[in-house]
Amino acid sequence: MQAEDARYLKRRVRSSGLDVHPTERALVVQYEVEATILGELGDPMVGDRKECQKIIRLKSLNSHTDIASLARKVVEECRLIHPSKLLEVEQLLYYLQNRKNGNLDEEASISSIEEYVELLYEDIPEKVRGATLILHLARNPDNLEELMQNKTALGALARVLREDWKQSVDLATTIIYVFFHFSSFSQFHGLVTHYKMGALCMNIVEHELKRYDLWQEELQKKQKANILQKECEKSLKKYQSLLVKQEQLLKVALFLLLNLAEDTRTELKMRNKNIVSMLVKILERHGEEVLVLAVAFLKKLSIFLENKNDMAEMQVVQRLALLVPCDSLELQNTTLRLLLNLSFDTGLRSQMVQAGLIPKLSSLLADEGQRQLSMFILYHISVDDRFKSMFAYTDCIPQIMKMVFECGEDRMDTELISFCINLAANKRNAQVICEGNGLKMLMKRALKLKDTLMMKMIRNLSQHDGPTKSLFIDYVGDLAAQISEEEAEEFVIECLGTLANLTVADLDWELVLKEYHLVPYLKDRLKPGSAEDDLILEVVIMIGTIAMDDAGAAMLAEAGVIPDLIQLLNEAPAYLVDLMHDKNAEIRKVCDNTLDIVAECDEAWGRRIQSEKFRWHNSQWLEMVESQQLDSAGEPYVFGDDPGNGDPFLDSEDMILERPDLFYGAGTHRTGPGGGARGRGPRRIGGGALGFIPGSIPHHTEHSHLS
């Protein structure tokens, strides 16, 4: 970047979290600073993001402090804390006021570690003090190696946690914090596992979740009972104070477990102890930081099928839907990433629709920071024909069209245009897209940039009967002008498909054929081997549309198109025979039914089809027998992978069915029966109606929970 190109500096500060300091009387504010250098036209040139924290020390905090007044003062003086966080600040201050961690300002020294260990054999307050001093040491990464060598200290900490964690939440939180600092480094994971911290944290989390349910029940009983307002408020404050402590304990325990889950074997052990159930249960809570950790943990687990199925059984989508949208950008971003992972499952996509996520995600398209993830999820939902029509009743389509037009002549993101292609496959969506100058702008961009995917979207728009189709009459000439040998074949295919969809009575096809000299082009493409089968298919459909017009049909007949079509029809059975063994069950079913009709009408073809079916089943049987023989002999080649053993059916020189050059040119890649790759194959008109997927959106598998 040249220095003179930079014109503006855009700086954005986002608060991402609020917590208490683990050892001091202080609040810790987590925030992000995002700096972007803008060019002269306002476009971002260079950007950087940095995570920061601010520590608010509360030296005046004591047992007599007015918490409400102090909380208001903190919020007023710290611009990083939004006024809506006032209640959360009060809860954290209550926790700090009641926390008994001994002398928090006491200096810790690695040389005094033996004294700190001795404190772990005293009463609970002294144990808390000793654990806190060791935590001071563990916070410095330079001390971790030396602490690791001190088996006595770590063993004492593990023993105290095992025996006394139910007696003191502060003690349990402090000791887990010590082991959490070890878990932050992969080389110390073996140490943490040795002291069985993972299993212990699982037990603690499970117990605390049960306590939370009991607290809720008790509080509800008191609220329903006829007790004094003052008593009710006292119970509520006590509950809030206990809840803040519990949130701290759950947070550090989940953090430790998340770090240990880097090892998939450890993660499997957690799954066997119902970690998924616990995390889904935590989604009922309201603490932002615990929710972020729980959702991040679920996101990591969701990349495995078994975990995803567990989440589906526990109705996780309904609980996640309550978090969209939310005030916390970090929580919202993490939730969207989890939903994206889950949206690859058809059943979970259905749950997302039922939970009302389509309008919620559509509203997030206006937010540049959440736009991409929201669009990815909506894209996955749009693949299913059942849900396409629901987009017409949200502000999704206007937002998407705005994004398309903002691209100008720049290359459009594949995900964006793919989403548009899927939306255009629905009739109601198509009407919304074409409103105003929508179709005109789309057509202008597609023709100017020769944009194949944009033309595919236009083709999907043209397939719907009704007022939408009549709008295309004004663009027949523009589309016909693109049908020539000079244009890219993929672009020509979409233009032909669009014209072929225009079954409009008022259209004079004879005039179009004459003015744009289309007859020679169409006739030449009907010759065997003249083009790819996709193009030939569109030409045949185009001829069918033109033949609906009497004058156009007569013109094609005079040019000798009918014999060429008959020749193509004679070649079709050979192509269908080859597709009999396709991996797609629907394709096999259609081919079998069609070949049965052919066999009834033509005795010669009937014999050839029967012989081909026999050859296929026979080759499958021989392959199975050969595999069993190889297994019993201990050979390494199981499914005919031995390069010395050719397929007897494929290597046979006296094939009954010759491959027609029309469908398989010299450069076309093919595989044997059942191989699946057989040229480009037949395709549905307006392919986007089945969900256009130009390439899978990456499945997010990153393990970072605070990305």
Side-chain angles (χ1 to χ4, degrees):
M1 182 191 75
Q2 300 296 327
E4 57 271 15
D5 293 337
R7 292 291 183 271
Y8 310 101
L9 177 63
K10 183 179 179 182
R11 184 172 179 269
R12 179 182 297 175
V13 179
R14 293 178 178 176
S15 177
S16 58
L18 186 62
D19 197 2
V20 297
H21 196 282
T23 58
E24 301 179 19
R25 285 193 179 93
L27 296 177
V28 180
V29 182
Q30 306 286 348
Y31 64 97
E32 289 183 354
V33 178
E34 183 179 325
T36 306
I37 297 178
L38 305 178
E40 187 173 0
L41 298 178
D43 53 318
M45 302 178 67
V46 178
D48 191 16
R49 178 181 296 176
K50 184 178 180 181
E51 294 184 357
C52 308
Q53 70 175 20
K54 178 180 178 63
I55 299 177
I56 305 174
R57 289 181 171 82
L58 307 164
K59 296 181 180 180
S60 62
L61 179 63
N62 55 51
S63 58
H64 304 291
T65 303
D66 183 352
I67 296 299
S69 300
L70 181 59
R72 286 194 297 270
K73 184 177 179 183
V74 169
V75 172
E76 290 172 1
E77 294 185 0
C78 182
R79 292 186 298 173
L80 294 172
I81 303 177
H82 194 271
S84 62
K85 301 280 187 179
L86 179 61
L87 181 58
E88 184 178 352
V89 173
E90 285 189 23
Q91 292 176 351
L92 294 176
L93 292 178
Y94 273 121
Y95 171 69
L96 286 174
Q97 188 180 47
N98 297 313
R99 184 170 68 178
K100 298 177 181 179
N101 278 357
N103 184 5
L104 298 180
D105 298 325
E106 184 176 353
E107 291 290 337
S109 172
I110 193 70
S111 60
S112 304
I113 185 68
E114 301 301 331
E115 299 176 14
Y116 308 152
V117 173
E118 290 179 5
L119 293 173
L120 298 176
Y121 294 90
E122 303 295 334
D123 293 334
I124 294 296
E126 293 302 310
K127 287 178 179 178
V128 173
R129 178 168 171 262
T132 302
L133 290 167
I134 296 175
L135 175 58
H136 273 289
L137 299 176
R139 290 176 59 204
N140 185 351
D142 296 335
N143 293 331
L144 292 179
E145 288 282 357
E146 189 168 346
L147 286 174
M148 182 184 69
Q149 303 301 325
N150 195 323
K151 306 297 183 184
T152 304
L154 295 178
L157 285 170
R159 176 188 60 79
V160 171
L161 182 61
R162 259 193 317 273
E163 296 175 356
D164 299 331
W165 65 268
K166 289 185 179 180
Q167 299 182 38
S168 171
V169 174
D170 291 334
L171 179 61
T173 303
T174 305
I175 295 177
I176 295 175
Y177 254 121
V178 174
F179 285 98
F180 159 72
H181 286 295
F182 281 101
S183 73
S184 299
F185 301 91
S186 299
Q187 60 266 36
F188 296 130
H189 282 188
L191 172 74
V192 180
T193 305
H194 173 73
Y195 290 104
K196 302 186 184 302
M197 283 297 111
L200 193 51
C201 284
M202 291 281 293
N203 293 336
I204 292 173
V205 170
E206 184 178 14
H207 177 77
E208 292 300 326
L209 292 177
K210 291 179 181 178
R211 287 181 65 189
Y212 177 77
D213 290 338
L214 292 175
W215 292 346
Q216 293 276 60
E217 291 177 8
E218 183 180 349
L219 189 63
Q220 289 175 2
K221 287 180 181 178
K222 288 187 176 181
Q223 289 176 342
K224 290 180 180 179
N226 294 323
I227 60 176
L228 296 176
Q229 181 69 21
K230 188 175 181 180
E231 288 293 325
C232 187
E233 291 179 358
K234 184 178 179 181
S235 298
L236 182 59
K237 286 186 177 181
K238 181 181 177 181
Y239 164 75
Q240 290 175 341
S241 178
L242 291 172
L243 191 60
V244 170
K245 287 187 176 184
Q246 189 183 67
E247 296 271 312
Q248 291 294 315
L249 178 57
L250 288 175
K251 186 185 75 170
V252 68
L254 289 178
F255 232 137
L256 185 145
L257 291 171
L258 183 56
N259 288 342
L260 293 181
E262 288 181 2
D263 187 340
T264 53
R265 293 170 298 180
T266 304
E267 184 179 300
L268 180 59
K269 293 178 182 178
M270 294 180 188
R271 179 186 179 272
N272 293 336
K273 290 195 173 186
N274 295 322
I275 184 66
V276 175
S277 175
M278 295 181 196
L279 293 171
V280 174
K281 181 70 176 175
I282 290 174
L283 297 181
E284 299 176 358
R285 305 173 74 94
H286 303 290
E288 178 184 321
E289 294 189 344
V290 175
L291 283 174
V292 170
L293 277 171
V295 174
F297 210 150
L298 287 170
K299 177 173 71 70
K300 181 184 184 304
L301 295 170
S302 67
I303 65 176
F304 293 101
L305 178 65
E306 297 80 5
N307 297 332
K308 182 266 297 178
N309 291 339
D310 289 346
M311 294 178 201
E313 292 177 5
M314 297 169 194
Q315 304 294 314
V316 69
V317 170
Q318 281 75 2
R319 303 191 183 190
L320 292 173
L322 299 176
L323 303 178
V324 179
C326 63
D327 295 332
S328 170
L329 294 177
E330 184 180 11
L331 177 58
Q332 183 164 280
N333 186 272
T334 310
T335 303
L336 291 177
R337 290 181 181 276
L338 172 56
L339 286 170
L340 175 59
N341 280 5
L342 298 177
S343 67
F344 285 86
D345 181 271
T346 305
L348 288 172
R349 287 202 297 268
S350 179
Q351 291 184 24
M352 291 178 191
V353 175
Q354 293 172 5
L357 274 174
I358 289 182
K360 289 184 176 183
L361 293 171
S362 298
S363 65
L364 292 179
L365 292 175
D367 183 351
E368 188 176 349
Q370 312 297 327
R371 178 179 298 167
Q372 188 177 43
L373 287 172
S374 302
M375 185 175 65
F376 286 174
I377 301 169
L378 290 171
Y379 163 77
H380 280 175
I381 294 174
S382 72
V383 171
D384 197 320
D385 287 337
R386 295 175 298 166
F387 309 134
K388 284 186 171 72
S389 61
M390 297 183 181
F391 290 91
Y393 304 101
T394 68
D395 60 346
C396 176
I397 294 178
Q399 289 286 349
I400 289 295
M401 293 297 288
K402 181 181 177 183
M403 292 163 61
V404 169
F405 297 144
E406 286 177 352
C407 291
E409 297 186 5
D410 296 334
R411 182 181 179 276
M412 196 180 302
D413 289 340
T414 305
E415 293 81 12
L416 174 57
I417 185 58
S418 302
F419 187 26
C420 292
I421 291 171
N422 287 353
L423 292 177
N426 176 266
K427 183 175 182 179
R428 177 59 187 139
N429 291 344
Q431 293 173 353
V432 178
I433 291 172
C434 294
E435 285 178 356
N437 292 327
L439 179 60
K440 179 180 179 181
M441 298 295 291
L442 293 175
M443 191 71 73
K444 181 179 179 180
R445 176 187 169 89
L447 296 175
K448 184 176 181 179
L449 303 179
K450 308 297 181 184
D451 190 332
T452 302
L453 294 179
M454 180 65 74
M455 187 55 70
K456 185 180 289 290
M457 175 188 176
I458 293 173
R459 175 182 172 180
N460 277 1
L461 294 172
S462 68
Q463 70 183 349
H464 305 293
D465 294 327
T468 303
K469 186 169 290 190
S470 60
L471 298 176
F472 283 83
I473 295 179
D474 295 337
Y475 305 102
V476 170
D478 296 323
L479 293 169
Q482 309 303 314
I483 301 174
S484 65
E485 297 181 359
E486 289 76 20
E487 298 293 345
E489 185 174 290
E490 291 82 2
F491 187 69
V492 173
I493 288 173
E494 301 305 330
C495 292
L496 277 170
T498 305
L499 286 172
N501 286 335
L502 302 184
T503 53
V504 182
D506 299 335
L507 192 54
D508 188 347
W509 281 110
E510 182 184 20
L511 180 61
V512 175
L513 293 175
K514 288 180 179 179
E515 185 170 347
Y516 296 97
H517 310 288
L518 295 183
V519 174
Y521 180 90
L522 298 176
K523 182 174 173 55
D524 289 344
R525 295 305 173 276
L526 295 177
K527 296 177 181 177
S530 62
E532 292 288 340
D533 52 338
D534 277 4
L535 181 57
I536 295 174
L537 175 62
E538 298 305 333
V539 168
V540 172
I541 298 173
M542 175 77 169
I543 290 173
T545 301
I546 296 173
M548 296 174 66
D549 177 63
D550 293 342
M555 191 172 178
L556 292 175
E558 292 174 3
V561 168
I562 296 177
D564 294 334
L565 292 173
I566 294 174
Q567 184 179 359
L568 273 181
L569 188 60
N570 289 333
E571 300 287 356
Y575 188 38
L576 293 172
V577 165
D578 195 49
L579 286 176
M580 267 197 316
H581 319 304
D582 194 90
K583 291 182 178 180
N584 189 305
E586 289 299 321
I587 292 178
R588 292 198 305 270
K589 181 179 178 181
V590 171
C591 288
D592 285 341
N593 293 337
T594 307
L595 288 173
D596 288 343
I597 297 173
V598 173
E600 292 176 3
C601 299
D602 191 306
E603 186 176 345
W605 266 112
R607 291 194 298 269
R608 295 170 71 179
I609 292 169
Q610 184 179 12
S611 178
E612 170 65 14
K613 289 183 177 181
F614 172 77
R615 278 180 175 271
W616 169 254
H617 292 298
N618 191 43
S619 68
Q620 293 294 297
W621 183 82
L622 291 174
E623 184 178 344
M624 180 187 68
V625 172
E626 182 181 359
S627 299
Q628 292 176 348
Q629 291 174 347
L630 289 176
D631 288 341
S632 60
E635 291 291 335
Y637 302 103
V638 181
F639 294 103
D641 293 329
D642 186 349
N645 292 335
D647 190 322
F649 174 54
L650 290 179
D651 290 345
S652 176
E653 295 181 358
D654 52 345
M655 296 282 288
I656 286 184
L657 296 176
E658 296 180 359
R659 310 293 186 190
D661 293 338
L662 171 64
F663 298 102
Y664 305 114
T668 305
H669 173 70
R670 302 179 60 248
T671 65
R678 308 175 187 284
R680 299 178 67 174
R683 55 201 289 272
R684 177 186 174 106
I685 305 304
L690 294 181
F692 178 76
I693 305 180
S696 265
I697 296 176
H699 198 304
H700 292 277
T701 60
E702 69 268 23
H703 292 176
S704 172
H705 50 277
L706 297 177
S707 55

